[in-house]
Amino acid sequence: MVSILVAGLVSGSIYALIASGLSLVWGALGVFNFAHGVLLMMGAYVAWWVSAPGGLGLGLLVGILACIAFLILAGGLLYALLVRPWIGTANAELTVIMTTIAGAMFLENAALYLFGGRLKVLDQVVSGTVSIGGTAMQAQNLLVIVLAPLLLGALALFLKLSKYGLAIRAIAQNREAAQLLGIRIERMYLATFAVSAVLAGVAGVMIGGLFNLSPGMGSDPLLRAFLVVVFGGLGSLPGTIVAAYLIGLIEAGSSYYIGIYWTPVVLFAVLITVLLVRPNGLLGRPA
């Protein structure tokens, strides 16, 4: 039971980090960024390239800092090139889905060209094992379980207390009113994408410490994050976090008791059942 709980919390923590960025962009801009999974992959590869002896060999701490700096820039560029031209146009939601999918495919192939198809191994932030409740687990797993709530708490404080966070929330509630108050919409959109990209990059480093790196490593987490955002309620950050941990625990429990191949069936069954009862998700508000 303890091992199932640990596996569920690790998965839920990673899903919460990824899905929070996706939810943040949806809440502020009303679009889905389907290149979010590629940002995760790029963060992991940058950390590997800067830190590993096969790259620059500067150590993991420098690699993580480089990953964060790179993703702030990458998030801004992604917004400027793939999203900004379509904001305010007819069918902007569908157009942005297509442009970000196309961008994701381009960046995946670019990573394949630059780094090759051979799997890469990123060093773990902490190594070794720890014992909890008589069950041994990797220290990296415990780090993920502890770090994710801290980062999400910092995100909540940023949105609640900082000038930029309050502006992002104001735009999410009413863009026109926020603009009349003098809030610079474009700057806040850039900040939203930068924060979202950094969350994806941190999740990429965490996943990279547990599994191998590959150009397609962001695809499956993106699908899970999309389910989490819908399950929790579109644009609801608390709902997204609750849904992420629920899905992580459901995945771990169903994989153990009925097999990993039935896990997607169970997840979709739970999602459909919840949406039949609460069409706006667990904590979503009516449109």
Side-chain angles (χ1 to χ4, degrees):
M1 181 58 73
V2 174
S3 60
I4 296 173
L5 183 63
V6 169
L9 290 176
V10 171
S11 299
S13 299
I14 291 174
Y15 295 159
L17 285 176
I18 304 169
S20 294
L22 206 59
S23 178
L24 197 62
V25 168
W26 171 264
L29 283 81
V31 297
F32 272 115
N33 172 21
F34 274 80
H36 198 63
V38 168
L39 291 172
L40 178 155
M41 177 272 292
M42 291 167 65
Y45 267 96
V46 168
W48 172 83
W49 181 69
V50 173
S51 64
L56 297 180
L58 298 177
L60 188 57
L61 177 60
V62 179
I64 292 172
L65 294 176
C67 161
I68 293 172
F70 175 81
L71 284 172
I72 290 173
L73 179 63
L77 281 175
L78 190 147
Y79 166 73
L81 296 176
L82 301 181
V83 179
R84 171 65 188 88
W86 316 110
I87 295 297
T89 63
N91 297 320
E93 296 86 352
L94 291 176
T95 309
V96 169
I97 286 175
M98 288 189 286
T99 57
T100 52
I101 288 175
M105 294 172 67
F106 173 80
L107 291 170
E108 275 190 13
N109 282 291
L112 185 63
Y113 176 78
L114 290 173
F115 300 106
R118 179 173 292 182
L119 299 176
K120 303 290 188 297
V121 179
L122 180 64
D123 287 341
Q124 294 186 336
V125 179
V126 289
S127 57
T129 59
V130 294
S131 179
I132 296 179
T135 300
M137 59 185 288
Q138 293 185 56
Q140 178 86 1
N141 282 335
L142 181 61
L143 176 69
V144 171
I145 294 173
V146 173
L147 184 63
L150 293 176
L151 290 175
L152 294 171
L155 175 64
L157 291 176
F158 167 76
L159 292 174
K160 191 172 184 178
L161 301 178
S162 75
K163 177 182 174 183
Y164 279 81
L166 290 172
I168 291 172
R169 291 174 60 201
I171 292 170
Q173 291 175 7
N174 191 316
R175 173 179 168 170
E176 287 73 21
Q179 202 162 16
L180 289 174
L181 289 172
I183 294 174
R184 300 180 67 172
I185 304 293
E186 288 298 324
R187 181 178 293 183
M188 292 305 105
Y189 283 172
L190 273 171
T192 302
F193 262 82
V195 172
S196 171
V198 169
L199 290 171
V202 172
V205 172
M206 293 299 155
I207 293 175
L210 297 171
F211 307 100
N212 293 322
L213 274 60
S214 71
M217 64 182 287
S219 299
D220 190 61
L222 175 65
L223 175 61
R224 292 291 194 278
F226 182 72
L227 291 179
V228 165
V229 171
V230 174
F231 189 29
L234 292 175
S236 169
L237 194 57
T240 296
I241 294 170
V242 171
Y245 282 101
L246 282 177
I247 284 183
L249 292 169
I250 292 170
E251 265 191 347
S254 59
S255 296
Y256 181 82
Y257 287 109
I258 61 175
I260 192 170
Y261 294 109
W262 287 98
T263 299
V265 177
V266 174
L267 281 181
F268 277 104
V270 172
L271 176 62
I272 292 169
T273 302
V274 170
L275 291 180
L276 285 174
V277 179
R278 295 185 61 84
N280 297 298
L282 287 175
L283 301 180
R285 296 178 180 176

